[in-house]
Amino acid sequence: MNAREQQGWRLFRGDGVPRRVEMPPAPPWRRFGSAATGEERESEVSGPARPSPYLISPEHADVVNAALHLRRPLLVTGSPGTGKSSLARAVAHELGLGEVLRWPVNSRSTVQDALYRYDAIGRLRETTLMRDRGEAEPDIGSFVRLGPLGTALVPGERPRALLVDELDKGDVDLPNDLLTVFEEGEFEIPELARLPEDQSVVEVLTERPGERATVRRGRLACEEFPVVVITSNGERDFPPAFLRRCVRLELPTPDEDRLRAIVTAHLGEEALEEVDQLLEVFLRRRAARELATDQLLNAVFLRSGGVDVTGEGLLEAVLHRLGGAV
């Protein structure tokens, strides 16, 4: 890299001198909004922007199809970076299901929060203010918002797509708590079920901005079971009752040929000219520690931009291990 290229690469120099710099194009997988396609973001009518290319073998695609035909959740396992989460977006894009609803699971996640949230305090505050002004009380539906799972069950002509990301990070009882919803395809909102008969039909907010859903007598049931993709990093075993209701897909760790295909799909054929040395280092390091495919993509992207990533400090920063203490 010559001096001019080094100046362009070093946006931040650490010398405390303010300067205005032009940010270079982001990697394709880190572009958002209109930058994701290089044009104006598509409308809701035409659908969401095209996701990054997704490579899957025919055998694994057949497992996805089995889950679609059986209307069962697809439980996807595999090492980090094998494309578990991206699979939901790929399926939704090909089937024209619109934007994927995402439920990122953590240790505090509950099924109720994923179904709906009721802002009782907000309703009480608004009711008090409107009574003081002599106005009618606010509609309760304005204080009920469906979560990602609840929104996925909103009835419609087409099923919705839901990504339940990293279920194994949730509470040990969370998979069992999901069984009833997955089996019945419906749930109750007690705050609405207790309303008098003349208020039995309520319009509530959903996870999608500007969208409302109709709840009758406090119950909401799907007409088509949503396309549910559940990911797990294998950090915990799931109960047999839960596994019985899922179709399982184990994504393998990509071999050298598949890694080359992934680099080509994301960065083009020209990127292969820069991949040999990095691929050798990546495969050697992956054999000794946990690495993800997107780390290789990061390294190749920088190298394709003229950055020397072979220096030990930068290479270690990009191809760092994913497990153990940091």
Side-chain angles (χ1 to χ4, degrees):
M1 183 186 299
N2 59 40
R4 177 174 295 181
E5 289 175 330
Q6 291 220 16
Q7 291 299 319
W9 147 247
R10 292 194 170 94
L11 306 175
F12 169 74
R13 302 180 192 175
D15 56 10
V17 178
R19 55 180 63 84
R20 184 177 182 84
V21 300
E22 289 295 327
M23 295 295 290
W29 53 92
R30 293 298 298 167
R31 295 172 187 169
F32 305 94
S34 60
T37 56
E39 56 189 30
E40 291 300 317
R41 188 174 182 83
E42 298 181 45
S43 67
E44 292 184 5
V45 176
S46 61
R50 181 181 179 88
S52 300
Y54 191 85
L55 302 180
I56 187 170
S57 70
E59 294 80 8
H60 294 143
D62 284 346
V63 177
V64 177
N65 284 308
L68 294 173
H69 281 278
L70 295 171
R71 305 302 200 272
R72 289 291 187 182
L74 179 69
L75 177 59
V76 187
T77 57
S79 303
T82 51
K84 299 186 296 295
S85 300
S86 302
L87 178 58
R89 292 187 287 273
V91 172
H93 172 72
E94 285 197 21
L95 302 186
L97 302 182
E99 186 176 354
V100 176
L101 297 160
R102 183 169 178 264
W103 178 21
V105 176
N106 57 50
S107 60
R108 300 178 300 280
S109 297
T110 66
V111 171
Q112 178 172 322
D113 286 342
L115 290 172
Y116 78 96
R117 297 176 296 278
Y118 171 53
D119 185 4
I121 296 177
R123 186 189 179 202
L124 177 61
R125 181 175 59 249
E126 288 296 315
T127 299
T128 301
L129 290 173
M130 297 184 81
R131 280 178 180 173
D132 292 343
R133 294 195 296 261
E135 301 174 358
E137 294 184 10
D139 178 31
I140 187 175
S142 300
F143 302 95
V144 177
R145 182 180 294 276
L146 301 181
L149 177 56
T151 302
L153 295 173
V154 171
E157 294 182 0
R158 301 276 290 165
R160 304 189 181 210
L162 171 67
L163 170 63
V164 183
D165 211 9
E166 299 188 330
L167 182 62
D168 50 335
K169 292 188 180 300
D171 184 80
V172 66
D173 293 326
L174 187 58
N176 280 330
D177 293 340
L178 283 168
L179 292 181
T180 301
V181 178
F182 283 165
E183 283 298 292
E184 304 297 333
E186 65 177 23
F187 66 98
E188 181 182 73
I189 302 177
E191 293 84 356
L192 303 184
R194 293 192 292 263
L195 295 174
E197 185 65 25
D198 62 344
Q199 301 177 36
S200 61
V201 179
V202 179
E203 297 286 323
V204 301
L205 304 170
T206 76
E207 185 82 358
R208 291 175 170 167
E211 181 186 72
R212 284 182 173 266
T214 302
V215 179
R216 291 178 169 84
R217 294 182 175 85
R219 298 198 70 81
L220 193 149
C222 67
E223 293 178 357
E224 278 281 352
F225 189 76
V227 175
V228 180
V229 176
I230 304 171
T231 71
S232 169
N233 290 322
E235 296 181 4
R236 186 173 62 238
D237 293 333
F238 295 125
F242 175 79
L243 294 176
R244 181 168 61 85
R245 290 165 171 83
C246 298
V247 174
R248 295 194 62 179
L249 172 61
E250 174 76 24
L251 292 179
T253 301
D255 59 15
E256 181 174 344
D257 289 340
R258 178 51 64 93
L259 288 172
R260 290 181 181 275
I262 291 173
V263 170
T264 302
H266 284 275
L267 297 173
E269 291 280 352
E270 60 277 5
L272 290 178
E273 301 174 1
E274 311 291 346
V275 80
D276 286 337
Q277 181 183 12
L278 289 173
L279 185 56
E280 179 184 348
V281 174
F282 176 82
L283 290 171
R284 185 174 66 250
R285 290 186 171 215
R286 192 179 70 178
R289 59 174 127 174
E290 195 174 72
L291 291 179
T293 304
D294 56 356
Q295 292 176 281
L296 174 64
L297 288 172
N298 290 337
V300 175
F301 176 78
L302 290 175
R303 185 67 189 89
S304 299
V307 180
D308 181 11
V309 295
T310 58
E312 192 61 28
L314 186 54
L315 190 65
E316 184 64 33
V318 177
L319 300 183
H320 60 85
R321 63 176 182 172
L322 303 180
V326 177

